[in-house]
Amino acid sequence: MIKNLKRLDLIFKNEQDTEAILEKTLARSNEEIVNDLIDSGLKGRGGAGFPTGLKWRLAADDPADEKYIICNADEGEPGTFKDREILSSVPNKVLAGMAVCARIIGSKQGFIYLRNEYKFLVPGLEIVISEFHELMDRLNLEFRVAIFMGSGAYICGEESALFESMEGKRGEPRNKPPYPTNFGYKGKPTVINNVETLAHTYSIFKYGPDKFRDLGIKDSRGSKVFSVSGDTPIPGIYELEFGMTLQKFVDDFGDGDSKAVQVGGASGFCVPRKKFEKTIIGYQGKLTGVSLPTGGSMMIFNSSRSMYNVLRNYLDFFVEESCGQCTPCRVGTQQLLLGIEAVKRGEKPSGYLDKLLELAETMRLTAKCGLGQSVANSFSSIVENFREEMIY
Amino acid sequence: MSDQVTLKIDGISVSVKRGTTVLDAAKTINIRIPTLCHHEDLCVAGNCRVCVVEQTGTDRLIPACAMPAADGMEIHSNSLKVRNARKQIVELLVSEHRAECTTCYKNGNCELQALSHEYIIGENGYINLIPLKEYTIDYYSPSIIKDDSKCIRCQRCVRTCDELQGVGALTVSHKGSEMKISTFMDKPIYQVVCTNCGQCVNRCPTGALVERHYIDEVWAAIYNEKKFVVVQTAPAVRVALAEALGHEPGEIVTGKMVAALRRLGFDAVLDTDFTADLTIIEEGHELLQRLKRALKDKDPDVKLPMTTSCSPGWVKFLEHIFPEFMENLSTAKSPQQMFGALAKTFYASKIGVEPASMVSVSIMPCTAKKYEANRPEMYASGYQDVDYVLTTRELALMIKQAGIDFNSLADDDYDSIMGESSGAGVIFGATGGVMEAALRTVYEVVTGREVPFDGLNITPVRGVEGVREASILINKTLPEWSFLEGVELKTCVAHGLNNARNVMKAVRDGSASYHFIEIMACPGGCLGGGGQPIPTSSDIRKRRSSAIYQEDSQKVIRKSHENPEIVQIYKEFLIEPLGHTSHKLLHTKYTARERY
Ligand SMILES: Cc1cc2nc3c(=O)[nH]c(=O)nc-3n(C[C@H](O)[C@H](O)[C@H](O)COP(=O)(O)O)c2cc1C
Ligand code: SF4
Ligand code: SF4
Ligand code: SF4
Ligand code: SF4
Ligand code: FES
């Protein structure tokens, strides 16, 4: 089943009923709430798509008595600004999600890890947080939230690098396992969720899991906030239902000459026109055909764009933003960038692209964190679909 | 949950304790998975990725060094997918590396080189990144050369300096393609808090961190007819040298080493163990003097606990981090520097050689000794007391250069005087050894009796724990030392600077009180020194340690004050411990330094 393009107004609807919703939700047992989240099919909106209810349960099951909940608002992916929008218009929903999570896992302290460039949000957020703390007192919840300013490095959005940076160390991703739900901030069980994920939990508390499930398709439930940019007459932030084909998306947002869409930013996939019809926006799952995970960036390219330049920009970004600790990513990104440049200049034969494709695959298989692992997404999809543009 | 997990590696079933990594599980069934960033002394890094293996059911490869073994895992350490990935990773490292093995000091003892050989890297087609980059070679330190063009960013050095040494002189700076190993403000190593201990050198898998070598200078001195070249050998060298010449760890080769040095052309082959005994006499009496001032004279200015001063890495660490404790450091020089000061004075006149034409060389397990020899305080003889310091590794290289078949050498004896030593001098090479040697002498000076330990083996101060405490009750003293009657002499032994830091913190905040503390900068003491053969591991250090204690137990003379040459030098030259000549030649001063 394929959904028609539907614009929604779930997340951004300004609802003034936080206290009532929290009261209603907290009256239920932890088990019931978690089951609802699992039934809703909500998956993390930060990119990896991990089932949110399950994440909370894993942290709840850990017997440690010091635990944390962190809202990931690092939003470093170029061309993405949906979390900023959510935090400035409906921060109460995010905080409510954190409060419920805190009750469930047994956490007394939450943090919003805020992208350094979003400093201007702090005064407003601080007011909302202090009201929220009063609400916590009224609800007899011993829970506080503090803002932590990000370091400015893209890699610090990766959860374990984020913990390291919060601990005052260099933002380098850790080995996994152990996972954050057992060993997160300060080595304590930690739930880390994307801003949007937390805002969605609020809708689920309010409207129930079924309403959420009704949206989207199998494996990809609910709605998603997208940052649409590139060659589009109507760039901006849109909440759309999961499960549409890229064709429908382009019909609505493109400029009539779209040749490719980069789904999920630099670490996402590039889909060429001929695959628009067969590509469904959603998480990877067996039944959805060719589907794509996405943190929310949708960048449309029309036929005037050089895909070589597009790829080069992405690689430039990775060469700089890799934390540099692991070999495949640190050296691999440099080799990919220099490699396509050498092919373009005719210093390497076009067959060198195949060696680079192999390298990208090795990076996917062996890099330590999601950054290095996902370079292959854009690299391979662009090189495979636009090979001539790489050479001539 | 059961304590054991069972998994299959390359079809072989293996049970290991929960928490064991896949890498270590594989080791138990003799499957070697290649590694670069992994080092058993250090925490897991998981950043080089050459140890990746395939797990059935998982698409991505997993790092064996960082992955805990789990029940039911099926691991393939050598599948096609693994081999391809591994080879590409080594190729990537080589593409970022100034791979010029023939001109590289690490040639032949380099983990990257070995892996490149195994995976037949050859001309791999990747673009050579070296000409496109700026890199620095820091050769300003007298001890260590840091060449960023040879660095594979494994961070072993950073973890060593941080975890084992608690110094933190090395850090990672920048990110992405610019990421590198750096120091405070990117200053040269000699300008920062680095103690020159060389532990990072010992663990660097490539030629990015090596000792500054003085082999050519030493050859030049040997070939110079006008120079009389004396050489001293530190206690820990004799139990490790053989490793660098292809032997198993734990072999004692004192006699062959002496023979080799003579063959190399040194004019006199002498022993640092002799001045180790001398250090015990001087330092032991200094301790007694401090105890007397504190307990008898009630002098409020006397500083206790007294700490040993023979490890130059430790001394520099204290100067940087705990300068308020500088007066607690024994003023006694290290055995190397006592030797140097005596060589160009006492020894020179004894054999009738002009000190100006004497070249004094020492063979040390240590890189910090190179720095120590260059300290401005170390010109007591009127000349630089020790001219060149070679590591155990450099000596091994000289032996190879000279074409000497080390195995077939017949044992030879040290020259005299300054060649004789007691077992107490020998154990200086192991953590706890200085303490044990000092107690053997001090206890006897005070009571007239031997230390009350079976066979003089003061086992409570021996061992591998990072910090060890022991106390010894003093009773039935000789009349002169009656103020020590009933005193429980409290001692502490620590090795590795991180442990040293913890001990000094405890002393500072009053949570620990001792009379005497022995500290060695390197894990295991000098036998684990930064100049010792590479690789190092706890097992290797244990074997070197047993060899040292074996050498001690076989010595006829076990106590420093019974070394006849020690008796002789006091009679002829020094007159008495802490006397005028001693102060001039054998004691030193310290300098407070910055904290970064
Ligand atoms: C390089 C990199 C950058 C990331 N940046 C962000 C980010 O800015 N915001 C975010 O929510 N998640 C980011 N993530 C994903 C997080 O690691 C983590 O999966 C996410 O915060 C979990 O929240 P969710 O389950 O709600 O999606 C990033 C991951 C990687 C590998
Ligand atoms: S994949 Fe890249 S960003 Fe991630 S740990 Fe490795 S070098 Fe760092
Ligand atoms: S560090 Fe190793 S691989 Fe590199 S040049 Fe030296 S010997 Fe060769
Ligand atoms: S020599 Fe010792 S103190 Fe200096 S950087 Fe290396 S490990 Fe650190
Ligand atoms: S200097 Fe040596 S130990 Fe340190 S990161 Fe480089 S290669 Fe590794
Ligand atoms: S040895 Fe395992 S990642 Fe380096």
Side-chain angles (χ1 to χ4, degrees), chain A residues 44-50 52 55 72 74-77 83 154-155 157-159 192-195 197 369-371:
Chain A
R45 300 303 198 234
F50 192 83
T52 308
K55 189 183 272 191
N72 190 343
D74 199 40
E75 198 163 52
E77 185 85 44
D83 293 341
Y154 172 61
I155 191 58
E158 195 280 337
E159 51 199 22
I192 178 163
N193 274 129
N194 174 252
V195 174
T197 313
C369 86
L371 189 148

PDB file of all heavy atoms in Angstrom, chain A residues 44-50 52 55 72 74-77 83 154-155 157-159 192-195 197 369-371, ligand 1:
ATOM      1  N   GLY A  44      12.883   6.103  16.101  1.00  0.00           N
ATOM      2  CA  GLY A  44      13.673   7.315  16.299  1.00  0.00           C
ATOM      3  C   GLY A  44      13.796   8.138  15.036  1.00  0.00           C
ATOM      4  O   GLY A  44      14.002   7.611  13.947  1.00  0.00           O
ATOM      5  N   ARG A  45      13.662   9.442  15.190  1.00  0.00           N
ATOM      6  CA  ARG A  45      13.702  10.334  14.037  1.00  0.00           C
ATOM      7  C   ARG A  45      15.082  10.954  13.856  1.00  0.00           C
ATOM      8  O   ARG A  45      15.268  11.887  13.082  1.00  0.00           O
ATOM      9  CB  ARG A  45      12.670  11.454  14.206  1.00  0.00           C
ATOM     10  CG  ARG A  45      11.213  10.989  14.333  1.00  0.00           C
ATOM     11  CD  ARG A  45      10.781  10.158  13.134  1.00  0.00           C
ATOM     12  NE  ARG A  45       9.321  10.063  13.017  1.00  0.00           N
ATOM     13  CZ  ARG A  45       8.632   8.923  12.939  1.00  0.00           C
ATOM     14  NH1 ARG A  45       9.254   7.764  13.008  1.00  0.00           N
ATOM     15  NH2 ARG A  45       7.323   8.945  12.786  1.00  0.00           N
ATOM     16  N   GLY A  46      16.052  10.463  14.604  1.00  0.00           N
ATOM     17  CA  GLY A  46      17.392  11.040  14.509  1.00  0.00           C
ATOM     18  C   GLY A  46      18.214  10.438  13.387  1.00  0.00           C
ATOM     19  O   GLY A  46      19.325  10.875  13.115  1.00  0.00           O
ATOM     20  N   GLY A  47      17.670   9.424  12.738  1.00  0.00           N
ATOM     21  CA  GLY A  47      18.389   8.858  11.604  1.00  0.00           C
ATOM     22  C   GLY A  47      18.495   7.341  11.643  1.00  0.00           C
ATOM     23  O   GLY A  47      18.369   6.680  10.625  1.00  0.00           O
ATOM     24  N   ALA A  48      18.707   6.792  12.846  1.00  0.00           N
ATOM     25  CA  ALA A  48      18.950   5.352  12.903  1.00  0.00           C
ATOM     26  C   ALA A  48      17.656   4.538  12.952  1.00  0.00           C
ATOM     27  O   ALA A  48      17.655   3.352  12.630  1.00  0.00           O
ATOM     28  CB  ALA A  48      19.811   5.018  14.111  1.00  0.00           C
ATOM     29  N   GLY A  49      16.557   5.170  13.365  1.00  0.00           N
ATOM     30  CA  GLY A  49      15.268   4.488  13.305  1.00  0.00           C
ATOM     31  C   GLY A  49      15.088   3.363  14.307  1.00  0.00           C
ATOM     32  O   GLY A  49      14.437   2.357  14.026  1.00  0.00           O
ATOM     33  N   PHE A  50      15.630   3.526  15.488  1.00  0.00           N
ATOM     34  CA  PHE A  50      15.466   2.487  16.517  1.00  0.00           C
ATOM     35  C   PHE A  50      14.112   2.671  17.205  1.00  0.00           C
ATOM     36  O   PHE A  50      13.721   3.798  17.507  1.00  0.00           O
ATOM     37  CB  PHE A  50      16.602   2.592  17.535  1.00  0.00           C
ATOM     38  CG  PHE A  50      16.688   1.418  18.459  1.00  0.00           C
ATOM     39  CD1 PHE A  50      17.337   0.264  18.082  1.00  0.00           C
ATOM     40  CD2 PHE A  50      16.075   1.464  19.726  1.00  0.00           C
ATOM     41  CE1 PHE A  50      17.408  -0.826  18.933  1.00  0.00           C
ATOM     42  CE2 PHE A  50      16.143   0.374  20.578  1.00  0.00           C
ATOM     43  CZ  PHE A  50      16.804  -0.775  20.188  1.00  0.00           C
ATOM     44  N   THR A  52      11.407   3.453  19.587  1.00  0.00           N
ATOM     45  CA  THR A  52      11.554   4.280  20.784  1.00  0.00           C
ATOM     46  C   THR A  52      11.112   3.575  22.066  1.00  0.00           C
ATOM     47  O   THR A  52      11.786   3.633  23.089  1.00  0.00           O
ATOM     48  CB  THR A  52      10.779   5.598  20.591  1.00  0.00           C
ATOM     49  OG1 THR A  52      11.196   6.180  19.361  1.00  0.00           O
ATOM     50  CG2 THR A  52      11.027   6.571  21.720  1.00  0.00           C
ATOM     51  N   LYS A  55      13.685   1.219  23.249  1.00  0.00           N
ATOM     52  CA  LYS A  55      14.836   1.931  23.826  1.00  0.00           C
ATOM     53  C   LYS A  55      14.542   2.298  25.288  1.00  0.00           C
ATOM     54  O   LYS A  55      15.362   2.077  26.170  1.00  0.00           O
ATOM     55  CB  LYS A  55      15.126   3.198  23.007  1.00  0.00           C
ATOM     56  CG  LYS A  55      16.415   3.890  23.376  1.00  0.00           C
ATOM     57  CD  LYS A  55      16.634   5.177  22.584  1.00  0.00           C
ATOM     58  CE  LYS A  55      17.344   4.957  21.273  1.00  0.00           C
ATOM     59  NZ  LYS A  55      17.780   6.229  20.639  1.00  0.00           N
ATOM     60  N   ASN A  72      18.490  15.003  21.909  1.00  0.00           N
ATOM     61  CA  ASN A  72      19.544  15.320  20.954  1.00  0.00           C
ATOM     62  C   ASN A  72      19.070  16.436  20.015  1.00  0.00           C
ATOM     63  O   ASN A  72      18.261  16.206  19.125  1.00  0.00           O
ATOM     64  CB  ASN A  72      19.913  14.056  20.169  1.00  0.00           C
ATOM     65  CG  ASN A  72      21.161  14.248  19.324  1.00  0.00           C
ATOM     66  OD1 ASN A  72      21.571  15.374  19.069  1.00  0.00           O
ATOM     67  ND2 ASN A  72      21.756  13.141  18.905  1.00  0.00           N
ATOM     68  N   ASP A  74      21.333  18.426  18.354  1.00  0.00           N
ATOM     69  CA  ASP A  74      22.585  18.878  17.763  1.00  0.00           C
ATOM     70  C   ASP A  74      22.405  19.245  16.289  1.00  0.00           C
ATOM     71  O   ASP A  74      23.162  20.041  15.749  1.00  0.00           O
ATOM     72  CB  ASP A  74      23.666  17.810  17.919  1.00  0.00           C
ATOM     73  CG  ASP A  74      25.062  18.405  17.746  1.00  0.00           C
ATOM     74  OD1 ASP A  74      25.271  19.522  18.242  1.00  0.00           O
ATOM     75  OD2 ASP A  74      25.920  17.765  17.110  1.00  0.00           O
ATOM     76  N   GLU A  75      21.440  18.658  15.670  1.00  0.00           N
ATOM     77  CA  GLU A  75      21.034  18.962  14.286  1.00  0.00           C
ATOM     78  C   GLU A  75      22.141  19.559  13.424  1.00  0.00           C
ATOM     79  O   GLU A  75      22.106  20.743  13.065  1.00  0.00           O
ATOM     80  CB  GLU A  75      19.815  19.901  14.281  1.00  0.00           C
ATOM     81  CG  GLU A  75      19.116  19.888  12.938  1.00  0.00           C
ATOM     82  CD  GLU A  75      17.703  20.454  12.999  1.00  0.00           C
ATOM     83  OE1 GLU A  75      17.512  21.562  13.507  1.00  0.00           O
ATOM     84  OE2 GLU A  75      16.787  19.752  12.545  1.00  0.00           O
ATOM     85  N   GLY A  76      23.118  18.717  13.106  1.00  0.00           N
ATOM     86  CA  GLY A  76      24.255  19.226  12.350  1.00  0.00           C
ATOM     87  C   GLY A  76      24.192  18.946  10.858  1.00  0.00           C
ATOM     88  O   GLY A  76      24.984  19.481  10.087  1.00  0.00           O
ATOM     89  N   GLU A  77      23.260  18.103  10.450  1.00  0.00           N
ATOM     90  CA  GLU A  77      23.171  17.749   9.028  1.00  0.00           C
ATOM     91  C   GLU A  77      22.873  19.002   8.208  1.00  0.00           C
ATOM     92  O   GLU A  77      21.895  19.696   8.465  1.00  0.00           O
ATOM     93  CB  GLU A  77      22.034  16.718   8.864  1.00  0.00           C
ATOM     94  CG  GLU A  77      21.874  16.145   7.485  1.00  0.00           C
ATOM     95  CD  GLU A  77      22.789  14.953   7.222  1.00  0.00           C
ATOM     96  OE1 GLU A  77      22.898  14.088   8.106  1.00  0.00           O
ATOM     97  OE2 GLU A  77      23.371  14.916   6.128  1.00  0.00           O
ATOM     98  N   ASP A  83      14.512  20.410  13.826  1.00  0.00           N
ATOM     99  CA  ASP A  83      14.543  20.334  15.288  1.00  0.00           C
ATOM    100  C   ASP A  83      14.528  21.730  15.898  1.00  0.00           C
ATOM    101  O   ASP A  83      13.918  21.961  16.946  1.00  0.00           O
ATOM    102  CB  ASP A  83      15.780  19.553  15.755  1.00  0.00           C
ATOM    103  CG  ASP A  83      15.695  18.079  15.353  1.00  0.00           C
ATOM    104  OD1 ASP A  83      14.572  17.615  15.053  1.00  0.00           O
ATOM    105  OD2 ASP A  83      16.737  17.409  15.321  1.00  0.00           O
ATOM    106  N   TYR A 154      30.015  18.320  13.945  1.00  0.00           N
ATOM    107  CA  TYR A 154      28.921  17.478  13.453  1.00  0.00           C
ATOM    108  C   TYR A 154      28.906  16.131  14.167  1.00  0.00           C
ATOM    109  O   TYR A 154      27.860  15.619  14.545  1.00  0.00           O
ATOM    110  CB  TYR A 154      29.083  17.296  11.940  1.00  0.00           C
ATOM    111  CG  TYR A 154      28.154  16.295  11.308  1.00  0.00           C
ATOM    112  CD1 TYR A 154      26.768  16.469  11.351  1.00  0.00           C
ATOM    113  CD2 TYR A 154      28.657  15.175  10.651  1.00  0.00           C
ATOM    114  CE1 TYR A 154      25.906  15.559  10.759  1.00  0.00           C
ATOM    115  CE2 TYR A 154      27.807  14.258  10.058  1.00  0.00           C
ATOM    116  CZ  TYR A 154      26.442  14.452  10.110  1.00  0.00           C
ATOM    117  OH  TYR A 154      25.614  13.533   9.527  1.00  0.00           O
ATOM    118  N   ILE A 155      30.086  15.570  14.381  1.00  0.00           N
ATOM    119  CA  ILE A 155      30.166  14.229  14.947  1.00  0.00           C
ATOM    120  C   ILE A 155      29.566  14.184  16.356  1.00  0.00           C
ATOM    121  O   ILE A 155      29.147  13.132  16.827  1.00  0.00           O
ATOM    122  CB  ILE A 155      31.622  13.712  14.942  1.00  0.00           C
ATOM    123  CG1 ILE A 155      31.676  12.219  15.268  1.00  0.00           C
ATOM    124  CG2 ILE A 155      32.505  14.480  15.902  1.00  0.00           C
ATOM    125  CD1 ILE A 155      30.894  11.327  14.334  1.00  0.00           C
ATOM    126  N   GLY A 157      26.822  14.999  17.252  1.00  0.00           N
ATOM    127  CA  GLY A 157      25.423  14.570  17.226  1.00  0.00           C
ATOM    128  C   GLY A 157      25.301  13.060  17.360  1.00  0.00           C
ATOM    129  O   GLY A 157      24.243  12.540  17.731  1.00  0.00           O
ATOM    130  N   GLU A 158      26.367  12.355  17.060  1.00  0.00           N
ATOM    131  CA  GLU A 158      26.361  10.897  17.250  1.00  0.00           C
ATOM    132  C   GLU A 158      26.326  10.653  18.746  1.00  0.00           C
ATOM    133  O   GLU A 158      27.096  11.241  19.500  1.00  0.00           O
ATOM    134  CB  GLU A 158      27.619  10.296  16.607  1.00  0.00           C
ATOM    135  CG  GLU A 158      27.577   8.796  16.406  1.00  0.00           C
ATOM    136  CD  GLU A 158      27.885   7.980  17.653  1.00  0.00           C
ATOM    137  OE1 GLU A 158      28.553   8.528  18.571  1.00  0.00           O
ATOM    138  OE2 GLU A 158      27.463   6.828  17.741  1.00  0.00           O
ATOM    139  N   GLU A 159      25.440   9.772  19.158  1.00  0.00           N
ATOM    140  CA  GLU A 159      25.118   9.693  20.588  1.00  0.00           C
ATOM    141  C   GLU A 159      26.329   9.484  21.509  1.00  0.00           C
ATOM    142  O   GLU A 159      26.463  10.160  22.526  1.00  0.00           O
ATOM    143  CB  GLU A 159      24.070   8.613  20.823  1.00  0.00           C
ATOM    144  CG  GLU A 159      24.416   7.271  20.194  1.00  0.00           C
ATOM    145  CD  GLU A 159      23.194   6.364  20.021  1.00  0.00           C
ATOM    146  OE1 GLU A 159      22.068   6.871  19.985  1.00  0.00           O
ATOM    147  OE2 GLU A 159      23.398   5.136  19.919  1.00  0.00           O
ATOM    148  N   ILE A 192      18.741   8.428  24.789  1.00  0.00           N
ATOM    149  CA  ILE A 192      18.973   9.621  23.976  1.00  0.00           C
ATOM    150  C   ILE A 192      18.016   9.575  22.795  1.00  0.00           C
ATOM    151  O   ILE A 192      17.933   8.570  22.090  1.00  0.00           O
ATOM    152  CB  ILE A 192      20.444   9.758  23.532  1.00  0.00           C
ATOM    153  CG1 ILE A 192      20.593  10.997  22.640  1.00  0.00           C
ATOM    154  CG2 ILE A 192      20.977   8.517  22.858  1.00  0.00           C
ATOM    155  CD1 ILE A 192      22.013  11.480  22.476  1.00  0.00           C
ATOM    156  N   ASN A 193      17.234  10.636  22.680  1.00  0.00           N
ATOM    157  CA  ASN A 193      16.257  10.705  21.593  1.00  0.00           C
ATOM    158  C   ASN A 193      16.365  12.020  20.865  1.00  0.00           C
ATOM    159  O   ASN A 193      16.695  13.055  21.452  1.00  0.00           O
ATOM    160  CB  ASN A 193      14.824  10.582  22.135  1.00  0.00           C
ATOM    161  CG  ASN A 193      14.387   9.147  22.296  1.00  0.00           C
ATOM    162  OD1 ASN A 193      13.898   8.744  23.343  1.00  0.00           O
ATOM    163  ND2 ASN A 193      14.557   8.351  21.259  1.00  0.00           N
ATOM    164  N   ASN A 194      16.028  11.945  19.614  1.00  0.00           N
ATOM    165  CA  ASN A 194      15.962  13.132  18.785  1.00  0.00           C
ATOM    166  C   ASN A 194      14.799  14.019  19.247  1.00  0.00           C
ATOM    167  O   ASN A 194      13.811  13.538  19.803  1.00  0.00           O
ATOM    168  CB  ASN A 194      15.775  12.682  17.331  1.00  0.00           C
ATOM    169  CG  ASN A 194      15.556  13.842  16.406  1.00  0.00           C
ATOM    170  OD1 ASN A 194      14.443  14.056  15.917  1.00  0.00           O
ATOM    171  ND2 ASN A 194      16.596  14.602  16.168  1.00  0.00           N
ATOM    172  N   VAL A 195      14.926  15.294  18.997  1.00  0.00           N
ATOM    173  CA  VAL A 195      13.894  16.266  19.351  1.00  0.00           C
ATOM    174  C   VAL A 195      12.523  15.820  18.821  1.00  0.00           C
ATOM    175  O   VAL A 195      11.522  15.788  19.549  1.00  0.00           O
ATOM    176  CB  VAL A 195      14.253  17.642  18.743  1.00  0.00           C
ATOM    177  CG1 VAL A 195      13.117  18.636  18.963  1.00  0.00           C
ATOM    178  CG2 VAL A 195      15.552  18.164  19.331  1.00  0.00           C
ATOM    179  N   THR A 197      11.496  12.898  17.802  1.00  0.00           N
ATOM    180  CA  THR A 197      11.012  11.647  18.399  1.00  0.00           C
ATOM    181  C   THR A 197      10.240  11.949  19.678  1.00  0.00           C
ATOM    182  O   THR A 197       9.140  11.432  19.907  1.00  0.00           O
ATOM    183  CB  THR A 197      12.205  10.735  18.758  1.00  0.00           C
ATOM    184  OG1 THR A 197      13.097  10.679  17.653  1.00  0.00           O
ATOM    185  CG2 THR A 197      11.738   9.345  19.133  1.00  0.00           C
ATOM    186  N   CYS A 369      31.621   4.307  13.411  1.00  0.00           N
ATOM    187  CA  CYS A 369      30.315   4.882  13.736  1.00  0.00           C
ATOM    188  C   CYS A 369      29.517   5.173  12.483  1.00  0.00           C
ATOM    189  O   CYS A 369      29.987   5.014  11.358  1.00  0.00           O
ATOM    190  CB  CYS A 369      30.464   6.130  14.596  1.00  0.00           C
ATOM    191  SG  CYS A 369      30.718   7.638  13.646  1.00  0.00           S
ATOM    192  N   GLY A 370      28.310   5.636  12.701  1.00  0.00           N
ATOM    193  CA  GLY A 370      27.377   5.900  11.615  1.00  0.00           C
ATOM    194  C   GLY A 370      27.909   6.863  10.571  1.00  0.00           C
ATOM    195  O   GLY A 370      27.544   6.772   9.399  1.00  0.00           O
ATOM    196  N   LEU A 371      28.776   7.774  10.962  1.00  0.00           N
ATOM    197  CA  LEU A 371      29.266   8.724   9.970  1.00  0.00           C
ATOM    198  C   LEU A 371      30.049   8.003   8.872  1.00  0.00           C
ATOM    199  O   LEU A 371      29.690   8.060   7.699  1.00  0.00           O
ATOM    200  CB  LEU A 371      30.131   9.799  10.638  1.00  0.00           C
ATOM    201  CG  LEU A 371      30.536  10.973   9.730  1.00  0.00           C
ATOM    202  CD1 LEU A 371      30.663  12.265  10.524  1.00  0.00           C
ATOM    203  CD2 LEU A 371      31.834  10.705   8.990  1.00  0.00           C
TER     204      LEU A 371
HETATM  205  C1  LIG C   1      27.490  11.434  12.503  1.00  0.00           C
HETATM  206  C2  LIG C   1      26.172  11.368  13.188  1.00  0.00           C
HETATM  207  C3  LIG C   1      25.513  12.548  13.512  1.00  0.00           C
HETATM  208  C4  LIG C   1      24.302  12.484  14.162  1.00  0.00           C
HETATM  209  N1  LIG C   1      23.687  13.652  14.438  1.00  0.00           N
HETATM  210  C5  LIG C   1      22.469  13.617  15.052  1.00  0.00           C
HETATM  211  C6  LIG C   1      21.776  14.812  15.353  1.00  0.00           C
HETATM  212  O1  LIG C   1      22.249  15.907  15.049  1.00  0.00           O
HETATM  213  N2  LIG C   1      20.574  14.731  15.964  1.00  0.00           N
HETATM  214  C7  LIG C   1      20.028  13.518  16.293  1.00  0.00           C
HETATM  215  O2  LIG C   1      18.939  13.486  16.856  1.00  0.00           O
HETATM  216  N3  LIG C   1      20.661  12.369  16.020  1.00  0.00           N
HETATM  217  C8  LIG C   1      21.853  12.382  15.405  1.00  0.00           C
HETATM  218  N4  LIG C   1      22.500  11.209  15.143  1.00  0.00           N
HETATM  219  C9  LIG C   1      21.874   9.953  15.585  1.00  0.00           C
HETATM  220  C10 LIG C   1      22.188   9.697  17.054  1.00  0.00           C
HETATM  221  O3  LIG C   1      23.390   8.989  17.145  1.00  0.00           O
HETATM  222  C11 LIG C   1      21.127   8.862  17.732  1.00  0.00           C
HETATM  223  O4  LIG C   1      20.921   7.719  16.986  1.00  0.00           O
HETATM  224  C12 LIG C   1      19.822   9.569  17.889  1.00  0.00           C
HETATM  225  O5  LIG C   1      19.987  10.761  18.588  1.00  0.00           O
HETATM  226  C13 LIG C   1      18.867   8.681  18.632  1.00  0.00           C
HETATM  227  O6  LIG C   1      17.608   9.287  18.723  1.00  0.00           O
HETATM  228  P1  LIG C   1      16.319   8.641  18.078  1.00  0.00           P
HETATM  229  O7  LIG C   1      16.270   7.218  18.510  1.00  0.00           O
HETATM  230  O8  LIG C   1      15.232   9.440  18.640  1.00  0.00           O
HETATM  231  O9  LIG C   1      16.470   8.779  16.618  1.00  0.00           O
HETATM  232  C14 LIG C   1      23.699  11.247  14.482  1.00  0.00           C
HETATM  233  C15 LIG C   1      24.386  10.082  14.152  1.00  0.00           C
HETATM  234  C16 LIG C   1      25.597  10.135  13.504  1.00  0.00           C
HETATM  235  C17 LIG C   1      26.285   8.870  13.172  1.00  0.00           C
END
